[in-house]
């Protein structure tokens, strides 16, 4: 510890602390403009100067405190200096600036008042300031080219916070400075208007801006000066990173979202988290229960897009991002909750009576809370009486989880994503992290800048590849060959961790039996990576002190997805990269609560906490807890359920927040299956494509309107708090489920989500020690068996949760994807997501900012292929597979290899899943979204 | 004093083909390097330079040996950075050395690199110095071919690679950490110190940054000995422990309204008047000098009655100037408008401020705008005090900026207004207005 004297007051500090931190510790505030504790100190505003004993002035934010140093923070000299500085800055400042006008939050103007340069009304009062302002040049107009952010150079004080936030925190490198001296301006790219630059609208710059130079458009345009602001601490509703948020409210309205500092996301957000919340206010929100009118039977799609008569360039409602609402609504009449709920219970029970318990099924959602997921599976298991409950995890990481359970006995991530700070080598494969887990990606990019090596393996070049030490564009679907080759070299050259393998792994010999056939020379033509590079990478992995593996849908969404994941697990087991800091297996979770929904038992084979339904001991425990007898047979998975609906085995379904119409493969088949259901009830926030097939639709409260817990990709359980009131009669899903449970004879008098959480946690080991108080603001990483237990972010330091405590190496042979390109369908189609949108677009396409940023569907096609087809940027093409056809605009790019195309699946008017194949991985039952054969032909621009 | 001084640094200037290695060697070139490599350990060279009391010639006058000694003992990599960005208005001594005697520069670099155990030296040369760049590159090529650079310099165990790097025309890149940033390919922004370059310099490794002339002095110290060096110049005042003395020869650049502008090598401490009269040939047209810049624009102004001040490291502060600077003397005759001159000065610094620190970015800008207003006949007497207040509040001396550019911008303002206040007030009161045409003469030569 060192001792520092601040204004005569002694404080003790850790060595390395700055003078500014010393002052903080002493309770002395030093004004700053350029400094933000989250950013690297640069000391450019010079407002934080302090005076040393010898009279030297020195910036406190970037000066390390020497032991025994003494300084003063507010001498006359310092105050004079600060006055001069503020005078100079205020001389060219727009007074009041947009931040001051709206929320009174301009730090410069606040200091101006404090230092007597501005009067109580914020008007210039200092004679020299008034004089200087007469000399100021005319102000440039506000740059309003971005849909979300206003840029006012006249309010900019060049503190460089935005530059550091953009370059060093988010690592987007968009903002810099142009000009020098007095002519300096912050600049986007090479001085483009913000909205035309490469800015990804993460808003980090706005969050750090101390003045009105970068302001939230909504805030500037809607908040009045005297309006009190309120902050609600919650989390983001979008991806599995689970960023912590502060929702800023003026009256009943949300006016802005800020990243809330926390151990997970560190206060960062992406464009969806910051600007994508306004779907909750969209006029399409369901506000009352709806019952299908008799005239709309037999059931079928209600709108043109859902009918599928627009896919081929036919009629389309101009510019509509979402279903033709009025058209769909006509088919339903308003009903009371009582009537709607009674009808659902009655019809489902009738089907059960007539066709048997297994004729019912339910899809829950990874967008709902843990409490709701728990109640939903309880309703299906205890109420419907079977295990036909699944959710979209089936479509994302089912294969990963299958492989993880098989090889190491647990499907959870072993280390948190921020452990990249402690690793040597980061392997990111099949993950477009920058767009799909943007905030996690910022930590990866930062780690690379700090000297970590990054290996990116992906057939479609992700933006993260720009940061990679090695980028391997493997042939689509050749992952097994690629990783087998690496492991071949690791074993051949004895670079694997022999000690770890001896102590903690079994199956080495039989594993070698497989990978011995994958010498780099042999694997190279299969995966498209030169043998020499395979050798080099294998050696880098073998000699790295620690390696972390992150993967996404590019690994899992294949008919051999489980094999892909087995390879990654084997790679970590072979090299001893599990159970230590900076190591581990991290399948990046897609939905905000896909981890939690799985933990809570929204899986057909397991009860909460992965306890098998087939295990009689487990089952009897749940029978006792729920007071009913339970079906021992594991239920149907998502695609199996749809098949069963088509074949008539499943007749009645309850759908909570899922939209299989757009999210499941082979839409034409899903359409037929949904239409064939005798009874479908949907609880959702919007009338989705799937809901067009419903008999009853229940209006749910959105994420922002309810309390509940969500478990992120790090296994961190966090509280989401209500920010808005539900519209109309909408109710939280947990209330709806409670009502249905009661109607199925299961007592469910939960007065709050907390009570549901208690019941759920008590039935698990991983959540047992958790309650809402323990979660607090930062959340907690499970397993937590006792409330006072320390967090265990790293799992399996000593043993794996398998019978013998060992991990298992499972060798897999390379097998080609299900549908290879041929003369008729010569291109390989890859599908996935884009930064601005979420899954089926239900939410994001109803967010004004996000829909403006990314309004229309497109197909990425290699530049050379585009040239060969004679199509250019913006031209339309018809993309057809053996299952369907879509028409959409072309985006020529180098991101996809020749012979490959990519379509984001968010757009109903060109639904990628009309084309995809519904072939499944035999273990994880996950469809092969990432590979099918398509044909491309130029097409006329669709009308409308 | 200067009468019998035989040039050392400029000894080869004017000799036919002085740039060529062959000629340089015939005239005793690389003798000092050979001797150094043969007879001295690096530590001994450092010690000799410490003893010589050589102070940096780039402007700040920091003791060269002490700078070298700041390098961490346990370092594994050291870089030598040669500051050839000579952009201080009025200064051209490095150019003379590089254009006429490039091997002298390289010999100094090699000795300094040996002393500091640097195996890589970067010469950061001002973009506008096209001839110096070409000459130096030619000399580097010759030196590589002759085994003076590259692996095993002159057969010793010492290896050295020298790279010539051209700047892009920014004054701020003459500041040593701005130079380093620029060399690394970044915007030339001075770094917050500490850490000083000796600890974290180029690529965050220990680095020495020396001026071209300083390194040439090193060569002669090794050639002629410490005692020779100490016998030249102005000894330290024994009663002033902070006076480190002004030893050795110095290149003085004389320009402006003089009859014989040029670069003159003289012992440190030559009085300004003597330099102008005897070497510069006196003020042009038989006029009197009104103001003189003693060491580059950023040092501020001397009045005529201050011209007897010796041009050494210690005396100029006594007459209100910032220091000796680059010893570039610019003379302005009695017809020069000081208002106009200061306007030019302010324009220069406003243009060259990197914009990083608020006081400098805003301060230089506002000083320029205020001067512009004065020049347009719309000034107010209070403007002078505002200018002084601004000038007094910016720079590393008051402690408000990262680097010294703001001091350099402030000193001309402070000295001009304090020493020529009557002229400013008269100008403002008269409501005169200078036209663009008439403002093109005197100050133009200073920028």
């Amino acid at each position: 510890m060192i001792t520092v004297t601040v204004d005569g007051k002694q404080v003790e500090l850790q060595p390395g602390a700055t003078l500014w931190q010393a002052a903080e510790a002493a309770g002395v505030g030093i004004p700053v403009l350029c400094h933000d504790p989250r950013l690297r100190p640069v000391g450019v505003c010079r407002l934080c100067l302090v005076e040393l004993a010898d009279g030297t002035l020195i910036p406190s934010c970037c000066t390390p405190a020497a032991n025994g140093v003494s300084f003063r923070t507010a001498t006359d000299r310092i105050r004079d200096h600060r006055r001069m500085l503020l005078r100079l800055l205020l001389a060219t400042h727009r007074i009041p600036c947009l931040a001051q006008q709206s929320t009174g939050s301009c730090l410069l103007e606040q200091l101006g008042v404090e230092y007597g340069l501005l009067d109580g009304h914020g008007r210039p009062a200092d004679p020299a300031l008034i004089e200087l302002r007469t000399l100021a040049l005319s102000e440039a107009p506000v740059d309003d080219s971005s849909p979300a952010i206003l840029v006012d150079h006249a309010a900019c004080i060049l503190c460089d916070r935005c530059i550091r936030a953009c370059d060093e925190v988010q690592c987007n490198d968009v903002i810099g400075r142009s000009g020098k001296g007095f002519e300096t301006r912050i600049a986007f790219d090479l001085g483009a208007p913000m909205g035309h630059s490469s800015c990804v609208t993460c808003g980090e710059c706005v969050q750090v801006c101390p003045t009105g130079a970068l302001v939230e458009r909504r805030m500037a345009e809607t908040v009045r000066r005297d309006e009190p602001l309120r902050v609600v601490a919650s989390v983001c509703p979008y991806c599995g990173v689970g960023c912590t948020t502060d929702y800023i409210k003026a009256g009943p309205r949300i006016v802005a979202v800020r990243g809330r500092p926390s151990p997970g996301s560190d206060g960062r957000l992406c464009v969806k988290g910051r600007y994508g919340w306004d779907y909750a206010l969209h006029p399409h929100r369901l506000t009352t229960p709806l019952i299908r009118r008799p005239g709309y039977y037999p059931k079928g799609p209600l709108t043109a897009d859902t009918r599928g008569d627009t896919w081929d360039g036919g009629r389309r409602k101009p510019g509509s991002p979402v279903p033709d609402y009025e058209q769909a609504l006509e088919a339903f009449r308003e009903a009371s909750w009582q009537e709607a709920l009674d009808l659902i219970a009655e019809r489902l029970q009738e089907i059960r009576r007539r066709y048997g318990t297994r004729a019912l099924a339910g899809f829950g959602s990874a967008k709902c809370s843990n409490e709701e997921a728990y109640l939903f599976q309880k309703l299906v298991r205890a109420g419907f009486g079977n295990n036909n409950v699944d959710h979209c995890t089936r479509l994302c990481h089912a294969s990963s989880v299958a492989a993880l359970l098989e090889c190491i006995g647990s499907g959870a991530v072993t280390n948190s994503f921020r452990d990249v700070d402690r690793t040597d080598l980061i392997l990111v494969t099949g993950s477009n992290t920058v767009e799909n887990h943007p905030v996690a990606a910022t930590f990866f990019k930062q780690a690379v800048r700090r000297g970590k090596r990054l290996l990116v393996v992906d057939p479609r070049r992700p933006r993260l590849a720009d940061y990679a030490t090695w980028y391997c564009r493997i042939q689509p679907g050749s992952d097994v060959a690629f990783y087998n080759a690496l492991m071949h070299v690791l074993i051949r050259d004895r670079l694997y961790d022999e000690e770890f393998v001896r102590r903690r792994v079994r199956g080495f010999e039989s594993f070698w039996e497989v990978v011995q056939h994958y010498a780099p020379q042999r694997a190279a033509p299969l995966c498209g990576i030169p043998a020499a590079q395979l050798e080099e990478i294998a050696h880098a992995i073998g000699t790295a002190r620690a390696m972390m593996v992150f993967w996404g849908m590019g690994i899992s969404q294949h008919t051999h997805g489980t094999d892909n994941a087995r390879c990654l697990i084997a790679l970590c087991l072979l090299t001893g990269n599990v159970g230590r800091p900076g190591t581990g297996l991290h399948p990046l979770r897609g939905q905000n609560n896909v981890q939690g929904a799985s933990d809570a038992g929204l899986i057909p084979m397991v009860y909460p906490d992965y306890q098998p339904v087939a295990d009689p001991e487990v089952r009897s425990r749940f029978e006792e807890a729920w007071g009913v007898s339970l079906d021992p047979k594991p239920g149907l998975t998502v695609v199996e359920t749809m098949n069963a609906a088509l074949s008539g085995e499943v007749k009645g379904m309850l759908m909570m927040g899922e939209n299989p119409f757009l999210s499941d493969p082979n839409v034409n088949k899903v359409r037929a299956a949904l239409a064939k259901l005798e009874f479908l009830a949907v609880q959702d926030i919007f009338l989705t494509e799937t809901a067009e097939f419903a008999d009853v639709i229940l209006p749910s409260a959105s994420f922002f309107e309810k309390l509940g817990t969500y478990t992120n990709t790090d296994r961190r359980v966090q509280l989401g708090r209500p920010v808005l009131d539900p519209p109309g009669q909408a109710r939280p899903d947990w209330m709806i489920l409670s009502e249905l449970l009661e109607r199925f004879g299961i007592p469910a008098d939960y007065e709050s989500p907390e009570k549901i959480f208690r019941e759920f946690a008590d039935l698990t080991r991983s959540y047992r020690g958790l309650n809402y108080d323990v979660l607090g603001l930062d959340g907690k990483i499970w397993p937590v068996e006792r409330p006072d237990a320390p967090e265990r972010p790293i799992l399996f330091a000593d043993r794996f949760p398998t019978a013998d405590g060992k991990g298992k190496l499972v060798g897999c042979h390379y097998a080609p994807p299900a549908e290879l390109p041929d003369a008729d369908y010569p291109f390989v189609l890859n599908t996935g997501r884009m930064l601005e949108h979420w899954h089926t677009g239900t939410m994001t396409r109803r967010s004004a900012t996000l829909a403006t940023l990314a309004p229309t569907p497109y197909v990425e096609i290699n530049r050379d292929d585009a040239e060969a087809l004679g199509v250019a940027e913006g031209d339309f093409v018809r993309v057809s597979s053996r299952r369907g056809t879509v028409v959409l605009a072309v985006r020529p790019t180098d991101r996809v290899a020749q012979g490959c195309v990519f379509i984001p699946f968010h757009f109903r008017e060109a639904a990628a899943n009309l084309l995809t194949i519904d072939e499944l991985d035999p273990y994880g039952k996950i469809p092969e979204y990432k590979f099918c054969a398509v044909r491309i032909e130029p097409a006329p621009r669709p009308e409308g | 004093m200067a009468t019998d001084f035989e040039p050392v640094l400029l000894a080869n200037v004017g000799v036919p083909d002085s740039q060529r290695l062959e000629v340089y060697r015939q005239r005793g070139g690389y003798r000092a390097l050979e001797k150094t490599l043969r007879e001295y350990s690096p530590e001994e060279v450092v010690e000799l330079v410490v003893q010589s009391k050589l102070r940096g010639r780039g402007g700040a006058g920091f003791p060269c040996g002490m700078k070298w000694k700041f390098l961490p003992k346990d370092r594994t990599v050291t870089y030598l950075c040669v500051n050839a960005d000579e952009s201080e208005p009025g200064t051209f001594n490095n150019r003379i050395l590089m254009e006429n005697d490039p091997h002298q520069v390289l010999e100094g670099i090699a000795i300094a690199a040996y002393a500091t155990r640097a195996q890589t030296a970067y010469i950061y040369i001002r973009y506008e110095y096209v001839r110096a760049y070409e000459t130096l590159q030619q000399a580097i090529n010759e030196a590589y071919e002759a085994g003076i650079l590259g692996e095993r310099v002159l057969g010793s165990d010492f290896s050295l690679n020298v790279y010539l790097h051209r700047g892009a025309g920014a004054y701020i890149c003459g500041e040593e950490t701005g130079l380093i940033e620029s060399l690394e390919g970044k915007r030339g922004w001075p770094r917050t110190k500490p850490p000083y370059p000796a600890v974290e310099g180029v690529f965050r490794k220990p680095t020495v940054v020396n001026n071209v002339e300083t390194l040439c002095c090193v060569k002669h110290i090794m050639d002629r000995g410490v005692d020779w060096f100490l016998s030249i110049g102005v000894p330290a005042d024994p009663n002033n422990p902070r006076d480190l003395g002004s030893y050795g020869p110095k290149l003085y650049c004389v320009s402006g309204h003089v009859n014989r502008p040029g670069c003159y090598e003289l012992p440190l401490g030559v009085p300004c008047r003597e330099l102008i009269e005897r070497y510069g040939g006196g003020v042009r047209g038989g006029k009197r000098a009104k103001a003189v810049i003693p060491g580059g624009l950023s040092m501020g102004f001397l009045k005529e009655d201050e011209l007897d001040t010796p041009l050494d490291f210690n005396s100029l502060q006594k007459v209100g100037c910032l220091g000796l600077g680059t010893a570039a003397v610019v003379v302005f005759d009695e017809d020069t408008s000081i208002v106009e001159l200061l306007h030019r000065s302010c324009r220069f610094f406003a243009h060259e401020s990197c914009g990083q620190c608020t006081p400098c970015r805003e301060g230089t800008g506002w000083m320029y705008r205020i001067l512009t207003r004065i020049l347009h006949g719309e000034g107010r007497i209070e403007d002078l005090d505002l200018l002084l207040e601004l000038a007094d509040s910016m720079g590393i001396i008051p402690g408000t900026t990262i680097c010294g550019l703001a001091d350099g911008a402030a000193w001309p303002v402070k000295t001009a207004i304090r020493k020529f206040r009557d002229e400013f007030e008269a100008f403002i009161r008269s409501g005169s207005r200078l036209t663009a045409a008439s403002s093109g003469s005197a100050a133009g030569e200073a920028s």
Side-chain angles (χ1 to χ4, degrees), chain A residues 523-842:
Chain A
L526 295 176
C527 66
I529 303 300
Q533 195 177 20
L534 291 169
E535 300 261 358
E536 180 197 334
I537 291 169
H539 279 251
I541 291 173
T543 52
R545 188 186 46 81
M547 171 181 69
M548 283 191 89
V549 181
F550 294 90
W551 74 90
M553 309 295 93
I555 286 294
S556 60
Q557 289 177 342
H558 283 284
T559 47
H560 48 266
T562 305
D563 286 348
N564 292 347
R566 282 167 173 157
C567 284
L568 298 175
I569 297 161
L571 186 62
C572 283
L573 290 178
L574 261 189
T575 49
N577 278 311
V578 186
R580 287 184 290 128
T583 68
L585 293 154
H586 196 126
L588 284 159
R589 306 294 163 150
Q591 295 275 11
N592 59 332
N593 200 36
V594 68
Q595 180 67 53
S598 304
D599 295 344
L602 271 189
I603 297 180
M605 312 83 181
V606 292
Y607 295 122
D609 211 12
Y610 309 96
Q611 305 176 70
V613 295
D615 182 330
E617 201 180 311
V618 169
R619 194 169 58 249
S620 66
R621 207 141 34 80
F622 278 90
E623 285 175 338
E624 194 185 331
W626 292 341
V628 289
S629 69
L630 297 169
D631 187 349
K633 184 173 177 253
L636 300 173
T637 60
V638 167
V639 178
E640 287 170 339
T641 305
M642 279 298 138
N643 288 340
L646 196 59
S647 70
E649 286 163 62
V650 165
K651 304 266 188 206
M653 280 192 77
L654 175 64
M655 210 76 85
M656 172 175 79
E658 289 267 287
N659 188 11
F661 185 84
L662 278 185
S663 63
D664 286 13
N666 197 352
V667 167
N668 286 327
K669 192 163 146 187
V670 177
R671 184 188 304 118
L674 287 173
K676 198 159 177 206
L677 285 173
E678 268 186 31
F679 183 79
L680 171 65
V682 171
Q683 48 192 92
D684 212 314
I685 59 174
F686 292 112
L687 203 161
T688 61
E689 290 79 0
T690 303
E692 290 183 30
F693 299 85
D695 297 86
V696 182
I697 304 174
L698 302 175
S700 297
S702 78
F703 174 88
F704 297 101
E705 296 145 10
K706 64 190 179 191
L707 180 68
T709 60
Y710 302 84
T711 307
N712 81 349
T713 190
D714 278 346
R715 313 187 310 270
R716 187 181 291 281
V717 187
Q718 309 185 108
L719 261 178
R721 294 177 180 79
V723 189
L724 300 169
D725 293 328
Q729 301 178 43
R731 289 184 187 177
D733 289 301
W734 64 266
M735 281 189 190
I736 301 172
L737 293 168
S738 301
E739 294 272 1
L740 287 171
L741 274 165
E742 294 276 0
R743 282 169 174 76
F744 274 85
I746 317 289
D749 55 343
Y750 305 104
E751 74 268 22
S752 76
E754 195 166 1
K755 201 159 170 209
I756 306 167
F757 187 83
R758 194 63 270 138
E759 178 180 321
F760 155 59
D762 282 344
L763 286 164
T764 72
R765 284 174 75 88
S766 306
Y767 284 68
R768 185 172 295 162
L770 292 175
N771 58 55
Y772 282 14
D773 294 332
V774 170
L775 294 179
L777 282 172
D778 286 347
K780 265 266 190 309
I781 288 179
W782 67 255
V784 181
E785 290 177 27
R786 293 189 324 275
D788 55 349
E791 267 186 359
R792 283 164 52 205
I794 300 173
L795 295 179
F796 319 136
D798 308 311
R799 68 189 308 279
F800 294 105
T802 52
D804 59 359
K806 288 189 171 187
K808 182 176 162 195
L809 291 172
V810 180
C812 312
H813 278 292
Y814 164 76
E819 185 184 61
L820 292 171
D822 55 24
D824 290 337
Y825 296 93
F827 286 93
V828 175
L829 170 70
N830 183 4
T831 66
R833 297 199 271 129
M834 55 192 289
L835 174 66
E836 293 84 358
H837 283 301
W838 190 260
H839 289 76
T840 63
T842 315

Side-chain angles (χ1 to χ4, degrees), chain A residues 481-482 484-485 488 492 513-531 534-535 812-814:
Chain A
F482 177 82
N484 276 354
H488 176 98
R492 184 197 70 194
E513 289 294 307
V514 175
V515 296
Q516 66 170 326
H517 301 292
Y518 292 85
Q521 298 79 351
R522 212 182 141 250
L526 295 176
C527 66
I529 303 300
L534 291 169
E535 300 261 358
C812 312
H813 278 292
Y814 164 76

Side-chain angles (χ1 to χ4, degrees), chain A residues 123-207:
Chain A
R123 291 180 302 240
D126 170 69
L129 172 60
I130 294 168
E131 190 55 38
L132 285 178
R133 284 182 69 84
T134 63
L135 271 171
L137 303 173
S138 61
E139 288 158 351
V142 173
D143 169 5
D144 61 356
S145 57
S146 159
I149 300 167
L150 295 174
V151 187
D152 184 6
H153 292 283
C156 175
I157 56 168
L158 294 165
C159 64
D160 288 359
R161 285 197 202 187
C162 57
I163 297 178
R164 282 172 282 156
C166 186
D167 291 9
E168 296 171 19
V169 176
Q170 291 271 347
C171 300
N172 287 330
D173 299 324
V174 178
I175 313 183
R177 281 185 172 204
S178 69
K180 62 180 179 179
F182 209 50
E183 304 294 316
T184 309
R185 294 285 175 271
I186 58 160
F188 304 91
D189 293 343
L190 299 176
M194 186 187 219
H196 306 157
S197 72
S198 60
C199 167
V200 294
T201 327
C202 69
E204 192 77 34
C205 54
V206 182
Q207 182 158 337

Side-chain angles (χ1 to χ4, degrees), chain A residues 193-305:
Chain A
M194 186 187 219
H196 306 157
S197 72
S198 60
C199 167
V200 294
T201 327
C202 69
E204 192 77 34
C205 54
V206 182
Q207 182 158 337
V208 296
C209 180
T211 70
L214 291 157
V215 288
E216 303 285 4
R217 202 178 180 126
R218 185 181 295 263
M219 193 114 117
E221 288 173 355
T222 66
V223 178
R224 295 186 321 274
R225 205 24 221 291
D226 48 358
E227 225 171 345
L229 297 179
R230 206 161 61 80
V231 174
V232 182
S234 187
V235 292
C236 171
Y238 282 103
C239 82
V241 178
C243 297
T244 42
T245 50
D246 273 337
Y247 293 95
I248 320 274
K249 291 184 66 181
R253 322 174 328 266
I254 297 177
V255 290
V257 186
R258 295 256 156 82
R260 177 164 57 84
S262 68
S265 55
D266 189 40
R268 304 174 193 184
L269 289 177
C270 76
V271 62
K272 291 189 287 285
R274 202 180 299 273
Y275 301 109
W277 55 269
D278 54 340
Y279 67 85
L281 307 179
H282 197 277
H284 287 169
R285 278 293 300 276
L286 294 170
T287 55
T288 172
L290 299 171
I291 291 176
R292 198 178 194 94
R293 294 179 196 274
Y296 289 84
Y297 287 90
K299 286 189 292 181
L302 300 169
T303 61
D305 279 350

Side-chain angles (χ1 to χ4, degrees), chain A residues 42-46 49 57-59 62 64 77 81 84-85 87-89 91-92 128 131-137 157-158 160 177-182 184, chain B residues 169-171 187 189 192 194 350-359 361-366 369-370 373 380 383 386 389-390 393 397-402:
Chain A
V42 290
V44 297
C45 80
R46 316 306 277 187
L49 290 187
L57 295 184
I58 191 162
C62 58
R77 225 172 114 218
H81 161 71
M84 176 55 90
L85 205 65
R87 186 184 287 140
L88 291 174
L89 290 171
T92 49
E131 190 55 38
L132 285 178
R133 284 182 69 84
T134 63
L135 271 171
L137 303 173
I157 56 168
L158 294 165
D160 288 359
R177 281 185 172 204
S178 69
K180 62 180 179 179
F182 209 50
T184 309
Chain B
Y171 177 73
R187 173 179 275 251
W189 272 15
T192 301
H351 179 66
E352 294 297 349
S353 166
C354 79
Q356 190 176 193
C357 306
T358 315
R361 178 186 70 240
E362 304 295 326
T364 56
W366 283 114
R369 285 186 192 183
I370 295 168
R373 185 166 76 166
R380 306 166 318 133
D383 286 351
L386 184 55
E389 199 187 337
L390 276 168
S393 72
I397 293 179
T400 63
T401 57
I402 288 173

Side-chain angles (χ1 to χ4, degrees), chain B residues 38-40 44-45 58 81 104 140 155 167 173 178 185 241 271 274 360 367 403 427 436:
Chain B
R38 198 172 57 234
E39 295 177 13
Y40 298 102
E44 286 167 334
V45 182
C81 249
Q104 180 186 202
I140 290 169
C173 293
E274 184 182 337
C360 176
M367 291 196 301
C403 84
F427 186 92

